[in-house]
Amino acid sequence: MGMEEGIKDNAASAPNSRPSNQFRALLPMRVLQVFLLFFVLVLGISVISMHMIKYLNIQTLAPSTLMSPYDERITLESFIKPPASVWHSMNDSELLWRASMEPRIPEYPFKRVPKMAFMFLTKGPLPFAPLWERFFKGHEGFYSIYVHALPDYRSDFPSSSVFYRRQIPSQPVAWGEMSMCDAERRLLANALLDISNEWFVLLSEACIPIRGFNFVYRYVSRSRHSFMGSVDEDGPYGRGRYSYAMGPEVSLSEWRKGSQWFEINRALAVEIVEDMVYYHKFKEFCRPPCYVDEHYFPTMLSIGYSDLLANRTLTWTDWSRGGAHPATFGKADITERFIKKLSRGQACFYNDKPSQVCYLFARKFSPSALEPLLKLAPKVLGF
């Protein structure tokens, strides 16, 4: 019985062992299938990811690779926008070369507001800066300022001042020598870098305005001439300073004399900074007692552009006391009557018609004149 039961039990368990063996045989196959399915899935995701990354790379790199030439191209705005700072690393040769680049098409393809460039040629401080601040106030966008001081001078104007960071790179200047004209050309060249500057006024630290800004702007902008004195003067201080070594570029009959302080338009400013014909002649053969700042610009502009010159200066100066320098006025000289006399009472021509308004600026004033000038400015000067 026991043996039979054991045989029966074994016989009964035999069919149950077959599925178990089959399951064990099928398990590796299913694992392999799952693994293969997983591998295919991962491979598919990898392929899709590679295509996506490639696509995204093209999209993200396009602005910097495909479109970078367009982003970095020179635009009209980059050309007409004035330099953010008047300070630069160019030497004089580089500066004059850069400033001589001028559009030859007279019509501007943008709305241009012509500005006046006020160029201050000074040894150092500007004692009349508070007066000029009042003069410029409220007229932003119609003027620009450039200051040429000695190289070792550093101004301390506050950030609110119109003179803040307006000092240009400079070189030493000696009175009566070509370095004076070099400084003036340097001022013109820096001002020419702003395409909106149309008129250029040369001033010193001893100059003051004797008219309001609106009057000055209208007077200059409506004039058909630039204001550069250029006279054929006999005697030792005129023709007597001429050297025949100036020929053939400059003859005695072409020799002219004029005030150092001028106002010229943009076209004449470009002529001055690009001049290579007269510069070396004046540098070599016009030395004290020939004072080059009184002859160089008046002569060269008279030779080529006499019809564009008013043949007078806009800056009043008193030479009645004689000597190499004009009279200087201090605190005791500043009265309402004196200031009014500066702005009226003379006779001149404006646009070829007689006028009694001949001067817009005056010199030479000592720092002590500032206080009374500030008091008289609202009533007499109009600002």
Side-chain angles (χ1 to χ4, degrees), residues 248-269:
E249 288 80 6
V250 181
S251 65
L252 177 60
S253 62
E254 294 171 325
W255 184 256
R256 294 293 184 270
K257 180 182 179 181
S259 171
Q260 175 185 4
W261 315 105
F262 59 76
E263 179 282 318
I264 57 176
N265 64 24
R266 188 174 184 90
L268 295 184

Side-chain angles (χ1 to χ4, degrees), residues 112-131:
R112 177 178 181 260
V113 178
K115 297 190 297 185
M116 292 187 67
F118 291 82
M119 308 178 301
F120 291 84
L121 180 57
T122 172
K123 295 179 180 179
L126 290 170
F128 294 101
L131 188 67

Side-chain angles (χ1 to χ4, degrees), residues 95-327:
L95 173 65
L96 295 175
W97 179 83
R98 172 63 183 86
S100 67
M101 297 180 183
E102 189 71 3
R104 301 183 66 86
I105 298 177
E107 295 183 2
Y108 292 90
F110 60 94
K111 185 178 180 181
R112 177 178 181 260
V113 178
K115 297 190 297 185
M116 292 187 67
F118 291 82
M119 308 178 301
F120 291 84
L121 180 57
T122 172
K123 295 179 180 179
L126 290 170
F128 294 101
L131 188 67
W132 285 104
E133 295 270 6
R134 288 192 186 181
F135 172 80
F136 290 119
K137 186 176 181 180
H139 303 287
E140 293 75 12
F142 291 91
Y143 67 86
S144 53
I145 295 172
Y146 304 86
V147 180
H148 187 293
L150 294 177
D152 58 350
Y153 176 75
R154 293 294 179 268
S155 62
D156 57 352
F157 292 106
S159 59
S160 59
S161 172
V162 296
F163 294 100
Y164 181 66
R165 293 184 176 179
R166 301 308 297 176
Q167 186 173 332
I168 67 171
S170 64
Q171 296 293 331
V173 175
W175 179 75
E177 297 183 4
M178 184 53 99
S179 59
M180 183 74 75
C181 293
D182 289 334
E184 295 171 11
R185 295 178 86 200
R186 203 172 291 124
L187 279 164
L188 286 169
N190 277 276
L192 282 168
L193 297 181
D194 186 343
I195 195 68
S196 293
N197 286 332
E198 183 63 27
W199 305 285
F200 304 77
V201 183
L202 182 66
L203 304 158
S204 76
E205 71 270 31
C207 287
I208 65 167
I210 55 177
R211 293 279 186 173
F213 183 90
N214 286 332
F215 188 96
V216 170
Y217 188 90
R218 288 195 302 267
Y219 191 96
V220 171
S221 62
R222 295 176 181 178
S223 174
R224 296 197 299 268
H225 303 95
S226 288
F227 296 89
M228 171 83 72
S230 180
V231 297
D232 182 5
E233 182 180 310
D234 287 324
Y237 305 117
R239 288 197 174 199
R241 295 175 176 175
Y242 175 78
S243 168
Y244 282 94
M246 297 289 295
E249 288 80 6
V250 181
S251 65
L252 177 60
S253 62
E254 294 171 325
W255 184 256
R256 294 293 184 270
K257 180 182 179 181
S259 171
Q260 175 185 4
W261 315 105
F262 59 76
E263 179 282 318
I264 57 176
N265 64 24
R266 188 174 184 90
L268 295 184
V270 173
E271 291 295 327
I272 288 177
V273 301
E274 70 179 14
D275 171 50
M276 297 294 289
V277 175
Y278 303 100
Y279 177 85
H280 297 290
K281 285 285 185 176
F282 277 91
K283 184 176 182 178
E284 187 173 356
F285 300 113
C286 183
R287 299 180 180 181
C290 176
Y291 300 109
V292 67
D293 55 277
E294 296 181 351
H295 296 281
Y296 174 26
F297 299 156
T299 299
M300 69 162 286
L301 293 183
S302 175
I303 291 174
Y305 307 95
S306 59
D307 57 325
L308 301 180
L309 302 180
N311 199 18
R312 64 182 177 90
T313 179
L314 293 178
T315 302
W316 180 89
T317 309
D318 183 5
W319 291 96
S320 62
R321 302 178 188 180
H325 299 281

Side-chain angles (χ1 to χ4, degrees), residues 23-45:
F23 177 76
R24 290 191 187 99
L26 291 174
L27 183 60
M29 184 64 68
R30 290 188 176 181
V31 171
L32 181 60
Q33 290 176 345
V34 171
F35 175 77
L36 289 174
L37 180 62
F38 178 77
F39 177 77
V40 171
L41 181 62
V42 170
L43 182 62
I45 293 174

Side-chain angles (χ1 to χ4, degrees), residues 318-336:
D318 183 5
W319 291 96
S320 62
R321 302 178 188 180
H325 299 281
T328 300
F329 300 93
K331 182 176 182 179
D333 301 301
I334 308 304
T335 63
E336 182 175 340

